Amino acid sequence: MLNELRKQIDSIDSQMLALFEARMDVAKQVGAYKKERNLPIFVPEREQAVIESRVSALKNPEYAELTADFFNHVMQLSRRLQASDGPAPIVELAQEEPRVAYLGRPGSFSEEALFKFFPKARQAVAAETFAGIFKHLKDDRVDYGVLPIENTSTGTITEVLDLLCAHDFYIIGEAVLKVNQNLAALPGTRLSDVRRVYSHPQALAQCADFLNTLPDVQKIPLESTADSAHFVAAQTDGQSAAVVSKRAADLYGLAILKEAIQGNDLNTTRFVVIAKERKTNPKSNKISLVFTLPHESGSLHNVLSCFARHGLNLLYIESRPLPGRNFEYSFYTDFTGTPGGIEEQTAIDEIRGLASSLRILGCYPAAEDSLS
């Protein structure tokens, strides 16, 4: 008797499988149609109406709740298929030998982060500005770019965030780097002689408490900490110093006047790797999104509720002004999640339905410190 029932189930499953494939084929066409016309993938009212229609067509009302759950799950799978750009290539950054752009010149913290990501990098390409890194990548001069995005002392590096939101590139990795800042100058310079201190604006901000104790000292921003080391090494006035790493001081022949001058002993910078193509890693557990919302009451609350409802840990959120639209913003978010996870994809689908626009910036392995 049991074997006979199992044979019936096998036969029904075969029919369901053929119908499921047919449904997914049509769902894929619907997804292509929506993408061409910039239509939302998730339309809650439509899905609710479909579920109610299917439940009302039941011959046995005993299965109403199960039927609603079944079609809800089928439509989740359809949305995931419609939103997908296909499987992303698997990457192991530490095994690659790429060309990589970074900010500054040899001795910068960005260069140090580069070699943490890519110990086998065949070419490290210096860029004078963050925008220059994006241009190198856009023009295919490099395979990847490495950028600082957040510091535990000074917060978000907003210029990098704005560039990420403005370009169709992807985050494929991140790392954190403990940053010790040092005041360095030409050998023979005394701390009391210093009248001008050069460095990247972030470095100057990280060391503001110490620098403010120096009398009559002008703080002058340059494009990177390594640029400031290079610049001070060429001065002969005996009054110039730079906020730099120990490695940069050594590279450019500077003597350290004061070590570890950052205000926060745990001063740490989070760096990301960007690429032109979407890539992933088997260990990916962090997702980054950027979205815009209708300028109406409750729109952000509704989106944040999606993360809570699906048990997703929101790690980071930052708003940035929308160019040309007064007092309206885009929102950059990081949250825990894996590629293809049901809860993750459902939350993204729901947010897509609530948002004016949404773009997935990447799914990648989180640096351990960024989850704490």
Side-chain angles (χ1 to χ4, degrees):
M1 176 68 174
L2 181 58
N3 286 339
E4 183 58 37
L5 292 173
R6 284 173 172 169
K7 286 180 182 178
Q8 291 182 42
I9 287 177
D10 288 343
S11 175
I12 294 168
D13 283 350
S14 295
Q15 297 173 60
M16 289 177 62
L17 181 60
L19 291 171
F20 178 76
E21 285 192 83
R23 193 186 198 285
M24 291 298 106
D25 287 342
V26 175
K28 190 185 295 185
Q29 295 176 50
V30 170
Y33 181 93
K34 288 179 176 178
K35 285 181 180 179
E36 287 174 3
R37 292 158 179 79
N38 199 30
L39 298 174
I41 288 174
F42 182 49
V43 184
E45 300 80 5
R46 157 70 181 167
E47 293 200 1
Q48 186 58 37
V50 169
I51 291 172
E52 291 174 0
S53 171
R54 304 303 183 259
V55 169
S56 67
L58 278 172
K59 293 180 180 178
N60 186 347
E62 179 184 348
Y63 303 137
E65 185 176 346
L66 294 174
T67 301
D69 287 346
F70 172 77
F71 278 101
N72 182 53
H73 190 64
V74 168
M75 285 187 287
Q76 286 181 15
L77 295 174
S78 294
R79 292 199 304 270
R80 191 201 305 180
L81 178 66
Q82 291 174 10
S84 173
D85 293 323
I90 302 296
V91 296
E92 288 282 1
L93 299 185
Q95 302 307 314
E96 294 197 31
E97 300 179 11
R99 304 163 301 161
V100 189
Y102 70 99
L103 181 69
R105 60 178 69 237
S108 71
F109 289 106
S110 291
E111 187 204 32
E112 188 175 339
L114 183 160
F115 286 110
K116 187 171 184 177
F117 279 115
F118 301 102
K120 300 179 181 180
R122 74 175 187 270
Q123 187 179 3
V125 179
E128 293 183 357
T129 62
F130 292 134
I133 294 175
F134 282 79
K135 189 170 191 321
H136 281 327
L137 188 57
K138 181 180 178 181
D139 294 343
D140 293 320
R141 296 193 188 105
V142 296
D143 306 300
Y144 300 107
V146 170
L147 296 140
I149 193 170
E150 183 183 12
N151 178 267
T152 54
S153 299
T154 55
T156 301
I157 300 170
T158 55
E159 182 183 354
V160 171
L161 200 59
D162 290 343
L163 286 164
L164 276 171
C165 295
H167 289 77
D168 290 329
F169 297 155
Y170 296 91
I171 300 172
I172 64 166
E174 74 168 9
V176 294
L177 192 67
K178 177 72 182 299
V179 174
N180 280 317
Q181 304 283 14
N182 306 277
L183 189 67
L186 287 172
T189 304
R190 296 173 301 178
L191 187 58
S192 59
D193 296 331
V194 174
R195 292 295 176 266
R196 288 172 293 280
V197 175
Y198 300 85
S199 200
H200 187 274
Q202 283 280 326
L204 294 173
Q206 291 164 23
C207 305
D209 290 345
F210 171 79
L211 295 177
N212 287 338
T213 67
L214 303 179
D216 303 319
V217 168
Q218 183 181 8
K219 296 179 279 292
I220 304 171
L222 293 180
E223 294 294 348
S224 79
T225 55
D227 281 339
S228 67
H230 179 265
F231 179 83
V232 168
Q235 306 307 301
T236 58
D237 55 26
Q239 298 182 331
S240 298
V243 175
V244 295
S245 68
K246 186 177 185 304
R247 178 167 177 266
D250 292 341
L251 277 174
Y252 297 101
L254 302 181
I256 293 179
L257 304 180
K258 184 73 173 178
E259 294 184 348
I261 62 172
Q262 67 275 2
N264 178 1
D265 288 339
L266 300 177
N267 189 38
T268 302
T269 298
R270 181 164 65 96
F271 290 82
V272 293
V273 177
I274 60 170
K276 290 181 75 172
E277 305 297 331
R278 185 169 61 98
K279 300 181 180 182
T280 191
N281 182 293
K283 298 177 183 177
S284 293
N285 60 352
K286 188 172 184 178
I287 298 172
S288 295
L289 302 178
V290 60
F291 56 87
T292 60
L293 295 173
H295 195 42
E296 59 191 37
S297 175
S299 59
L300 181 58
H301 172 271
N302 293 337
V303 166
L304 297 181
S305 297
C306 295
F307 294 106
R309 188 162 53 250
H310 294 283
L312 302 173
N313 184 17
L314 186 63
L315 301 168
Y316 175 89
I317 183 167
E318 180 85 20
S319 63
R320 297 299 301 149
L322 280 172
R325 292 163 64 176
N326 283 349
F327 307 111
E328 294 189 41
Y329 303 88
S330 61
F331 296 88
Y332 175 100
T333 59
D334 295 334
F335 63 97
T336 54
T338 57
I342 290 292
E343 295 297 337
E344 293 88 329
Q345 189 59 57
T346 302
I348 291 171
D349 289 343
E350 291 179 5
I351 295 169
R352 199 186 302 274
L354 297 166
S356 302
S357 66
L358 179 146
R359 184 161 62 91
I360 299 175
L361 291 176
C363 184
Y364 48 92
E368 186 175 341
D369 290 17
S370 72
L371 295 179
S372 59

